[in-house]
Amino acid sequence: MIRTWTLEDETQSLVLASRDDRLPQVVYWGPRLPSDEARTLAEAAARDVTGGMLDRNPDLSICPEASQTFAGQPGLLVRAADGTPLVPRFRYVEVRTAPGAVDLVWRDDDFGLTYHARLALDPQTGMIAARAAIEADEAVLLDWLAAPVFPAADACLEMIDVSGRWCGEFALNRVPWVPGIRLRENRTGRTGHEHLPLLYLPEAGATNTGGCVTAFHYGWSGGHRMVAEELPDGRRQIQFGHAGRTETAPGRRFETATLYACRSDRGLNGCAVSFQRHLRDRILTWPKPDAPRPVHYNCWEAVYFDHALPELTKIASRAAALGAERFVLDDGWFGRRDDDAAALADWTVDPRKYPDGLGPLIDHVHEEGMSFGLWFEPEMISPDSDAYRAHPDWALGHADQTLGRRQMALDMSRKDVRDHLYERIAEILSAYEVDYIKWDHNRVLPLPDGAQTRGTYALLDRLRAAFPAVEIESCASGGGRIDFGILERTQRVWLSDSNDALERMRIQHDAALLLPLAVTGSHVGPRRCHTSGRMLDIRVRAWVAAQRHMGFEMDPRELTEDEAEVLTEVTAWWKRNRDWMRQADILRLDSADPAIIAEEQLAADGGRFVVFAGKARSSDQIVPRPLRLTGLDPAARYRVTLLNREEAPAGLSRGATALSVGPVTMSGQALMHHGLVLPWSFPETMWVLEGARL
Ligand code: DGJ
C-alpha cells in the first residue's frame, strides 16, 4: 500500500510517499508537478536491484532506519537508559495535514518509541521548515536525531558548505560529491566561525544567477552535525541535527531544531533570496517594525576598555554630526573591566569610570538625537570576578580547563545562573533607557551541551518578554553565532570583527547566501584597519558599510575634513535608500572578472536597484569586462547611473564609456545578457550604480 502527501506552492512540489506503513521518503522535490502525479512518482521512483544488493532497496526515508539494513548513516541513534542500543522499526500511526503542512506520527511498539515530524512550506518565501521529535515511553539516551532527511540531486557534482575563522567568516568550501560521507560536526558548543550550518547543492553548471540549486540551514546555536552521504547504490542523503551526543541526560522527549530547506531554478540567488526573505519576514521580530534601521556608532575600536566620560561625549557628538542615530557603548563599562582578564558576570556600572552611573552619558547621547545601546556578554564569567569568587560552581567545565580570552562559560542550564543574569541585566534595562543590547559570546564552550543552548534561549526569551522594545544583536567575536535559532531572538548580527572593507566586502557577499541587509551589521572602521593593518580610502570603507546595516566604529576625531564629508554624504545616501533596500533582495552577480565582487540589490517591486561592484584587487585583463545584471524584466527599459563616476581616475580612465559621462538607458535583456561597461578604476575601490525602471 502506498500513501502520498504533497507540499506545493506556485513554483515547487515536494512529494512524500510511504509504502506498507513504513516511514515516508521524499520521492520528488523539484519544479511544480501536475496535480495527479504524486502516486505515479511514488511508484516510478523505486530504483532497480542487481547482483550484490539486498532484494529491496532500503528506504531513504525522512529517518533512515538501521533496522532496514540501510547502508548509510541512520537518522536516529538511541539507547535504553542502561545503554542497550535500540533499533526501532517505525510503523504508520497518523498523518495530519493542514494547508502547506504535514504532521507525521510513526511508532515502534517494541521499544515504546514514537517518531514525529513536521514539514511546512511557506508559499511566500518558498521555504520548507522541517523538524523531528522522538518520544519514549521510558527514558532513553539519545546519541543522534536527524531533522527530516532530504535526498540530494544526482545531478550535483559538488556541494558548498561553510567554514571560516575570526575576521574571516563565511568561507565557502566547494567539495566534490564522492561515495561516502562529507561530515561536518561542530563540537564547540556554539554556532562558531568555523562551522556555519549552511549547505548549498548546485546542480552541474549552476551559477549565482542560473541553474538548479537546493540549500539547507539548521537553525540551532549549539553546534550542528551535517551528513552529506552518497550511498553505495548512488542515492544521496542530507542529514542535519544537533552535534552528536550533546543530550547528556536520559529523557522521554527530544526534538531537533528547525531545518530550513529551499530550492531554486535561478541559481544560488534563488535560495539566497528564500533565506533572506524568510529570515526577515518570518523569523525576526522587530520591536518597531516600521522604524527605519538606525545608523550605528559603536565605540569599541575608538576607546576599547578606556572609558572616560569627557572623551565619550565628544565622540558621541562627532558621530551624531556624521549621521549616527544609535550610540552603542561596548565592553568596559562594568565591574573592574580594564582589560579582558576580569569582571565578566559582574554586571554593575563601574563607579571609577562612571561615578554618576551611565545617566550622564545616556543623557548626552539622547541630546544628540541618538538612542543608546549597551554591550553585555551574559553567558561568561571571569575567574577574576566577584561573581566567580562567590560562585565558582557556576562555571561550566573543570576548574583547571584551558581558558578562552581568559574567561569561562557559565552553566546556562542552571536556573540560579539564569536568574542572576536576568536580575542584573533587568536592573540595568530598568534603570536606564537602553534600546539595544550587543550580546557577545567570546569563547567556545569547554564541552558541547544542548542544555546550554536551551538555557541561553530561555534567558533571551525572558528578557525579551520583559523588555519587548529592546533590540538585540548577536555577536560572538564577530560572526561566531549566526543562525536562525539565535535570530528568532535577536535582530542583528555583528558579521565580523574585520572592519577591513575589502575583507568585509567578501564576507558580506558570501553571507548574502543566508542574510538580508536588515540584519547584517557593517561598520566603517578606522583609517588603518585594526585587524589587518591595511589602510583604505574612506570611499570604499563607506560604500562597503552602506551595502548592509550601516554604522561607524572608528574614533571619528581621526577623520579629515574630506573624509568626514564623504562619510556624511554616503550616510545620507544610505538613509535616503534604506527603507526600500531593507525589503530588497540581494542578488550576487556572476562577474567575468574574478577581481570584482559585485551584487545587485533589487527592490521588492522590481522598480529600482542598486549595484555595488567592488574591485578587490587589480584585474588580470587591462580594462573592465561588462558586468551582467540579473533578475530584471527583459522587456522593460532601465536608466542606470554611475553614482560616483567622479572617482574614475583622470588620465587612466580615458576612453569613452557611456557611464562615465551620464546615465545610460538599456533594456533588461541587454543589461542581463550584455551587461554594463564600467570605467577603469583603481583596485580597492567600489563602483555604485543606481537603476530605475522606466
Ligand atoms: C568581541 C566583539 O566582536 C567586538 O566587537 C567587541 O564587542 C569585543 N568583543 C568586546 O570585548
Side-chain angles (χ1 to χ4, degrees), residues 300 330-331 337 375 405 438 440 442 475 477-478 494 497:
W300 177 239
D330 211 283
D331 196 354
R337 182 78 168 166
W375 182 94
R405 209 193 189 203
K438 176 174 175 181
D440 212 338
N442 283 305
C475 171
S477 304
W494 182 227
D497 272 353

Side-chain angles (χ1 to χ4, degrees), residues 166 193 298 300-301 304-305 330-332 337 340 344 375-377 405 407 438 440-442 473 475-479 494 496-497 499 553:
W166 178 70
H193 304 79
N298 181 295
W300 177 239
E301 294 199 357
Y304 293 101
F305 297 100
D330 211 283
D331 196 354
R337 182 78 168 166
D340 61 17
L344 290 172
W375 182 94
F376 288 91
E377 192 177 1
R405 209 193 189 203
Q407 66 200 45
K438 176 174 175 181
D440 212 338
H441 186 294
N442 283 305
E473 174 177 66
C475 171
S477 304
W494 182 227
S496 179
D497 272 353
N499 288 320
E553 191 157 339

Side-chain angles (χ1 to χ4, degrees), residues 427-438:
E427 198 172 288
I428 300 277
L429 298 185
S430 306
Y432 299 109
E433 211 178 313
V434 175
D435 88 328
Y436 187 80
I437 291 175
K438 176 174 175 181

Side-chain angles (χ1 to χ4, degrees), residues 275-297:
F275 284 126
Q276 292 169 21
R277 291 184 187 173
H278 197 79
L279 175 60
R280 185 190 61 213
D281 302 338
R282 295 290 186 272
I283 292 185
L284 287 154
T285 45
W286 303 100
K288 296 179 200 145
D290 299 326
R293 306 304 295 139
V295 175
H296 277 211
Y297 175 77

Side-chain angles (χ1 to χ4, degrees), residues 61-94:
S61 75
I62 57 172
C63 183
E65 291 170 300
S67 57
Q68 283 195 34
T69 326
F70 182 71
Q73 298 299 302
L76 173 68
L77 289 171
V78 65
R79 288 174 289 134
D82 67 0
T84 311
L86 308 178
V87 187
R89 291 165 66 247
F90 289 108
R91 289 293 173 266
Y92 173 86
V93 176
E94 65 168 328

Side-chain angles (χ1 to χ4, degrees), residues 648-672:
L652 285 173
S653 167
R654 56 197 177 88
T657 63
L659 281 166
S660 327
V661 287
V664 297
T665 298
M666 286 166 78
S667 66
Q669 194 76 287
L671 288 167
M672 292 191 291

